[in-house]
Amino acid sequence: MTRPASPAAYRTLDPAGIRAFLAAQPALAARLGGQPDAWRVREVSDGNLNNVFLVDGPAGGVCFKQSLPHVRVDPNWKMPLDRTAFEAAYLRAVRPHVGDLTTELLHFDPDLFVLVVESLDGHVVLRHGLMQGGDWPDAAAAIGRFVARATFPTSPLALKFEDASTLLAPFARNHTLTRITVDLVLTDPYHAHPRNHWLSPELDATVAEFRADPAVRRRVGQMQTRFLTCQQALLHGDLHTGSVMVSGSDTRVIDGEFALPGPIGFDCGLFIGNLLMHLFATLTPEGRARALRDIDQFWTHFRQDFIALWTNAVTHGQSGDAYAAPLFRDDPASLRQVQTQFLDDIETDTIAFAALEIIRRTTGYAHVADFDLIADRTARAARQEAALRLARDMLAHPERTPTIAALGACAADRAR
Amino acid sequence: MTRPASPAAYRTLDPAGIRAFLAAQPALAARLGGQPDAWRVREVSDGNLNNVFLVDGPAGGVCFKQSLPHVRVDPNWKMPLDRTAFEAAYLRAVRPHVGDLTTELLHFDPDLFVLVVESLDGHVVLRHGLMQGGDWPDAAAAIGRFVARATFPTSPLALKFEDASTLLAPFARNHTLTRITVDLVLTDPYHAHPRNHWLSPELDATVAEFRADPAVRRRVGQMQTRFLTCQQALLHGDLHTGSVMVSGSDTRVIDGEFALPGPIGFDCGLFIGNLLMHLFATLTPEGRARALRDIDQFWTHFRQDFIALWTNAVTHGQSGDAYAAPLFRDDPASLRQVQTQFLDDIETDTIAFAALEIIRRTTGYAHVADFDLIADRTARAARQEAALRLARDMLAHPERTPTIAALGACAADRAR
Ligand SMILES: Nc1ncnc2c1ncn2[C@@H]1O[C@H](COP(=O)(O)OP(=O)(O)OP(=O)(O)O)[C@@H](O)[C@H]1O
Ligand SMILES: Nc1ncnc2c1ncn2[C@@H]1O[C@H](COP(=O)(O)OP(=O)(O)OP(=O)(O)O)[C@@H](O)[C@H]1O
Ligand SMILES: [Mg+2]
Ligand SMILES: [Mg+2]
């Protein structure tokens, strides 16, 4: 992760190159089985950044991901190669805690910036699945558990500070992708910037209004500061519904390349923000009911699991240096109180970060596909406007939606 | 700083060794002037950790500081050598911003862990000076300015996050001395630990009471978490009145070996906590009035300077990524509001950290000398008890002393 790319060794692999690369790794070749010529190599890249291929052999499949020296969808936007290295490091850090809520890391090549993970063939990307009206009633709860299990064990609540510091330090160097978050999520949408775009002229007035609202601006500034200074745990950093794949009750988080130390509410807020956008983009009452259920399930399971992990650590005298066990082991009532306070603070962050995600995904650089469900442009603009007005309230009037439950109720009202 | 100590090269220098070491550095030898035999080498170590010598020649003087492989006052407590490396790095980071509010770094030797800085011969340590009834009416204001100028420019309020991250990352590895803070300041005093001691039996009941108070425990846990997760800026990390030297209106901060990224209120709280202890230890009304003036001066100048630096950065479009300039440049009213909020939060942290400092310096491992002013043991215990009761209230009832001004008034009352 710290090694600079050696441009001499790097080259972007085409399907033939991928086949040769995998054939040269005995463990990967064995996993695929049979002869390399017989392996099927399919490109599945659908994101902005990297090349992704699924490779199948007679015995099994793998997912091959390679960083490009530029943004995949914009070759003029140059970018260092190290993002797959951060994704590999994130998998190494969280997989022991989250198990099958993410993929197994099979291989990482630091010269080619190739990451190989288990193939989730047969799974669909949650965003696409939801847009097609699919229902995965266990998915949101699983993501809630994922966030709890990826964050608590990587925080100084669980770790001696030396271990937390050593674990988190390399991720603080994920500058390239953190810069994308700082600019695209936390800053650009709040002032004139050429990367911004929206349904214009329909949303012009709405955008002008939230930009002109000093309470929005103050809260955005505060969340910029929280994102950059509050290092509670290791975050996924890009946990939208496009970073989740599902099949039946199996739910997996993918694409941890934005991993960084940060406030836990950022991961929660991105996920909830995307569920909220799906809610506003969904035209059927059943679809909306499912989105509301998912928001509730995600939050309930995140909170419950996080507290359970914490209580368990303190009870066994194995907590970290934050809320250290010697102070709380014999005082379960105080432990419950500090847990409530800590989780309430995450809830407050979550709501604000969810609002930022809604705003940037409708008026910033990279939009979500969910609203494309609405063919009629006027209707689409109306739904986005409703989502944007909710987001503005979440930032400027946090007292109106102080909890995820209140937020769900308010969103249900406004998305009708 | 990252290089492991090479034990082969390291040896503790005695006065003859110090003379030879300095003679071998042309710039240092020139600063001292004349022949090495003529240099006077005086040991001035009075702290717990390192060897410190002042060396004078016909042309000038230097201060020589060397880490030992153990705690100076306890050779059985082994300790890595890298602490002078952190002190050197801290000086490099803050000196351009604070100027003559600290010392100039003249030399650092990474094999011998020798730090050479300008000699403050003629200055006295502020704690000792205050104990002797001296008055430095400019000192507290200068320390307030020091904290503002050492923290604002090293925070993402002033820096692009990449630069803040690169600047702070090495200090996050200051594990040895941070462990001392985590244990001795933030944890040990709140449970039975062999390193704790206090005037017993006089203070036994008071200690038992604050330990039994769940509100204290909850607040302590919260401050542990803030200390370990809130990385607002580069901190000095040990800013008590023994880390300040004064002469007339010249005020210097020394001994930055505990430097780490953290919440700005920690530096403020340590300094104010030590002024409060001096207040409680002082028997003359004039001395107490001066301590109260110093608390007020410190805070007023810290706050004023911090805000001035911030406003200046935003006005010139040169702010960092937190509270980014594009959002606030044209909205001075909002800028003032977020500044007030940010400084109010530091004030809250400051009061809590000051309380922790009072508690650990009267009931933990390393006590302050100030209370030795009171020869009579019963009277001494009474003063410490009053300070401890105030500290307990600061933690358990923050609404009683919500501001530094209110804290000063309350302390004035109770120290009479
Ligand atoms: N392990 C996997 N198994 C099967 N398909 C996968 C797997 N990982 C990724 N995919 C498919 O490849 C697509 C792109 O993957 P991924 O999101 O990791 O790429 P990316 O370039 O980082 O995208 P983004 O621009 O969203 O960051 C996914 O949307 C999914 O369809
Ligand atoms: N630049 C200087 N000029 C003159 N005297 C100095 C200077 N630096 C330190 N001293 C003297 O040396 C003493 C010890 O210095 P310092 O506090 O840096 O050492 P330390 O071992 O880190 O102490 P501590 O245990 O408090 O951390 C100071 O109290 C002061 O009297
Ligand atoms: Mg990605
Ligand atoms: Mg020291």
Side-chain angles (χ1 to χ4, degrees), chain A residues 44 46-50 52 54 63 65 103 117-121 125 238 240 245 254-255 257:
Chain A
V44 291
D46 68 353
N48 296 317
L49 296 179
N50 308 289
V52 184
L54 296 187
C63 174
K65 183 170 181 176
T103 54
V117 300
E118 64 182 297
S119 173
L120 302 174
D121 202 5
V125 171
D238 194 25
H240 56 84
M245 297 190 76
I254 63 166
D255 198 14
E257 62 186 342

Side-chain angles (χ1 to χ4, degrees), chain A residues 207-221:
Chain A
V207 172
E209 272 166 44
F210 76 71
R211 282 202 193 159
D213 185 342
V216 168
R217 218 177 293 126
R218 290 194 299 266
R219 187 82 174 126
V220 171

Side-chain angles (χ1 to χ4, degrees), chain B residues 93-137:
Chain B
V94 305
R95 170 87 182 182
H97 307 294
V98 304
D100 282 348
L101 294 168
T102 187
T103 54
E104 188 187 352
L105 172 66
L106 301 174
H107 189 76
F108 177 68
D109 184 302
D111 292 314
L112 295 173
F113 291 93
V114 162
L115 173 75
V116 184
V117 300
E118 64 181 298
S119 173
L120 302 174
D121 203 6
H123 287 58
V124 300
V125 172
L126 180 60
R127 185 189 308 283
H128 305 158
L130 293 176
M131 286 176 64
Q132 284 156 19
D135 185 22
W136 290 268

Side-chain angles (χ1 to χ4, degrees), chain A residues 350-362:
Chain A
T350 295
I351 293 167
F353 285 124
L356 298 178
E357 176 71 355
I358 292 171
I359 289 171
R360 77 103 167 189
R361 290 289 197 180
T362 50

